């Protein structure tokens, strides 16, 4: 079975756009490949962070991924810093990556322009990302456009390492993530739903109180022509509701539009569909957060599974590079 690696940054809250746009697909994907999901807390410290917040967002993201349906018995789900092989390999790869290559990374340019303190880690971030991927003999990495350049660099570094030191790494391919629903802000439906939305009314976080989820959808921005049809350009608000309703009921937005003569009924059904999607996720999340021992146990299983693959790959890289075995 092909191995697929995904890295996920521990960010504050997961919202409906993340769920319907991407994460929900992973539930299916985990059965179709040998899937490795890594919560990349080491990448999170490349920019200044608050320790309590890092701890909290790492824990909550892993619990959320489990609550949504990533099954630690089916896939490998773990926290990057629990598997020391990541930092172990990244140094070897930093020494196989050139300064010039790192300097050309557009994400580095963007991020370093926006901060006063530019850490060395922010600069070498792509070498750590390459380590994440290469440690698992990964065949495919589903990445969005913003990460393509990092993946190209990973491939170049793998090829260079293999040429210098003998065949060591599988050279991974970029894969286009399966398309999910494009969920827009409920108040400004021409913008994507995002955690930095202008209005909290525009974003539904997966842990929002279900009453307030309903209210946010009932108050979503629509238009005045009263016609229910999927037409993103001229009816962004209504189309967004149809995308959401469709995604929650496994239909296309066009099919979801069938039979509605007015916005009230559409909003009511969309609210109900979202509430029914979120209810079991919230229940499972509550169980996990009330039982930290269970989360720790599942993460320990994930880290053990990860190490079983990463350990021998790091040992191989060290040996090929010429380190004495210890
Ligand atoms: N850099 C990725 C992002 O910002 C996260 C990431 C870290 C990643 N390691 C990875 C993604 C390995 C894919 C593979 O989204």
């Amino acid at each position: 079975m092909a191995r697929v690696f995904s890295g996920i940054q521990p960010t504050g809250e997961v919202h409906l756009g993340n769920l319907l746009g991407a994460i929900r697909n992973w539930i299916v994907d985990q059965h179709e490949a040998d899937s490795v999901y890594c919560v990349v807390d080491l990448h999170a410290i490349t920019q200044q962070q608050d320790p309590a917040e890092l701890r909290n967002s790492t824990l909550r993201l892993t619990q959320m991924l489990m609550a949504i349906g990533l099954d630690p018995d089916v896939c490998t789900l773990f926290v990057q810093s629990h598997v020391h092989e990541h930092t172990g390999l990244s140094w070897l790869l930093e020494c196989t990556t050139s300064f010039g290559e790192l300097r050309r990374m557009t994400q580095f340019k963007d991020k370093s322009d926006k901060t006063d303190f530019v850490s060395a880690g922010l600069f070498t971030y792509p070498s750590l990302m390459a380590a994440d991927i290469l440690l698992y003999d990964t065949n495919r990495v589903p990445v969005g456009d913003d990460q393509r350049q990092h993946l190209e660099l990973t491939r170049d570094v793998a090829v260079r390492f293999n040429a210098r030191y003998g065949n060591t790494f599988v050279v991974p391919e970029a894969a286009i993530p399966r398309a999910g629903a494009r969920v827009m802000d409920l108040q400004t439906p021409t913008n994507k739903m995002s955690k930095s939305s202008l209005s909290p009314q525009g974003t539904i976080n997966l842990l929002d109180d279900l009453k307030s989820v309903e209210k946010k959808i009932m108050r979503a921005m629509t238009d005045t022509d009263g016609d229910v049809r999927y037409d993103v350009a001229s009816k962004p608000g209504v189309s967004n509701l149809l995308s959401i309703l469709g995604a929650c009921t496994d239909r296309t937005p066009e099919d979801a539009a069938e039979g509605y003569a007015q916005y009230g009924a559409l909003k009511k059904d969309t609210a109900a569909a979202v509430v029914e999607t979120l209810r079991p996720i919230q229940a499972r999340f509550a169980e996990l957060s009330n039982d930290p021992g269970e989360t720790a146990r599942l993460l320990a299983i994930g880290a053990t599974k990860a190490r079983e693959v990463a350990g021998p790959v790091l040992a191989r890289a060290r040996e090929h590079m010429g380190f004495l075995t210890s």
Side-chain angles (χ1 to χ4, degrees):
M1 226 200 291
R3 184 166 287 134
V4 178
F5 186 99
S6 306
I8 308 113
Q9 296 254 15
T11 47
E13 293 282 335
V14 182
H15 58 66
L16 190 67
N18 303 133
L19 177 71
L20 301 179
I23 303 177
R24 230 175 41 147
N25 285 332
W26 301 349
I27 311 313
V28 180
D29 292 343
Q30 69 183 334
H31 296 281
E32 291 175 0
D34 178 355
S35 303
V36 182
Y37 298 97
C38 175
V39 174
V40 294
D41 55 347
L42 295 168
H43 278 107
I45 65 166
T46 54
Q47 285 177 298
Q48 215 172 325
Q49 96 295 348
D50 176 64
E53 223 171 89
L54 177 64
R55 200 172 293 119
N56 196 31
S57 40
T58 306
L59 181 65
R60 283 169 71 98
L61 178 60
T62 55
Q63 290 171 331
M64 186 48 91
L65 294 173
M66 292 176 196
I68 291 165
L70 285 189
D71 182 345
D73 285 329
V74 176
C75 64
T76 302
L77 170 62
F78 71 104
V79 173
Q80 189 186 28
S81 67
H82 289 179
V83 178
H84 296 303
E85 282 78 358
H86 289 250
T87 44
L89 182 62
S90 75
W91 176 249
L92 311 193
L93 297 184
E94 277 175 46
C95 298
T96 317
T97 313
S98 77
F99 184 83
E101 282 172 320
L102 291 172
R103 200 175 39 190
R104 283 196 290 278
M105 294 293 119
T106 54
Q107 185 174 304
F108 172 72
K109 288 186 223 172
D110 292 346
K111 287 190 178 174
S112 58
D113 279 348
K114 289 186 196 130
T115 25
D116 296 331
F117 183 82
V118 179
S119 72
L122 186 64
F123 189 63
T124 59
Y125 178 117
S127 299
L128 177 61
M129 180 162 159
D132 298 341
I133 296 166
L134 299 180
L135 273 175
Y136 297 91
D137 288 338
T138 300
N139 304 106
R140 289 201 311 267
V141 187
V143 281
D145 285 340
D146 64 324
Q147 297 300 317
R148 291 234 148 203
Q149 199 186 24
H150 290 159
L151 196 71
E152 273 311 306
L153 181 62
T154 301
R155 289 166 51 85
D156 292 344
V157 169
V159 167
R160 182 178 302 137
F161 194 104
N162 289 345
R164 283 190 185 168
Y165 306 112
N167 203 15
T168 308
F169 297 123
V170 172
V171 181
E173 307 275 343
I176 297 162
R178 194 203 302 260
R182 205 171 138 77
V183 178
M184 312 303 281
D185 187 287
L186 295 170
Q187 290 304 321
T188 318
T190 45
N191 293 345
K192 272 184 94 169
M193 185 175 283
S194 113
K195 59 175 187 278
S196 51
S197 166
L198 296 174
S199 155
Q201 299 307 312
T203 303
I204 292 176
N205 287 320
L206 300 194
L207 295 176
D208 277 354
D209 170 77
L210 294 176
K211 277 268 161 280
S212 91
V213 169
E214 210 176 307
K215 277 195 201 131
K216 286 183 189 181
I217 293 177
M218 294 310 291
R219 290 176 193 160
M221 175 74 86
T222 50
D223 53 49
T224 52
D225 78 13
D227 194 16
V228 178
R229 73 192 140 82
Y230 186 68
D231 177 348
V232 175
S234 54
K235 299 175 70 68
V238 171
S239 300
N240 189 33
L241 292 171
L242 290 170
S243 297
I244 295 171
L245 176 61
C248 290
T249 54
D250 287 321
R251 289 177 296 170
T252 64
E254 289 85 355
D255 286 349
E258 295 278 316
Y260 288 105
Q262 36 130 328
Y263 296 163
L266 170 65
K267 286 183 168 178
K268 220 163 141 251
D269 287 357
T270 305
V274 172
V275 164
E276 287 325 307
T277 301
L278 296 188
R279 197 192 301 282
I281 294 176
Q282 293 192 355
R284 178 72 181 132
F285 184 87
E287 261 171 44
L288 285 164
S289 41
N290 289 332
D291 185 359
E294 174 66 359
T295 307
R297 186 183 74 82
L298 294 172
L299 286 180
I301 293 175
T304 302
K305 282 211 258 183
R307 254 179 246 120
E308 277 166 13
V309 182
V313 175
L314 177 59
R316 193 161 81 210
R318 289 170 54 92
E319 192 200 321
H320 290 186
M321 250 184 154
F323 292 102
L324 280 184
T325 43
S326 57

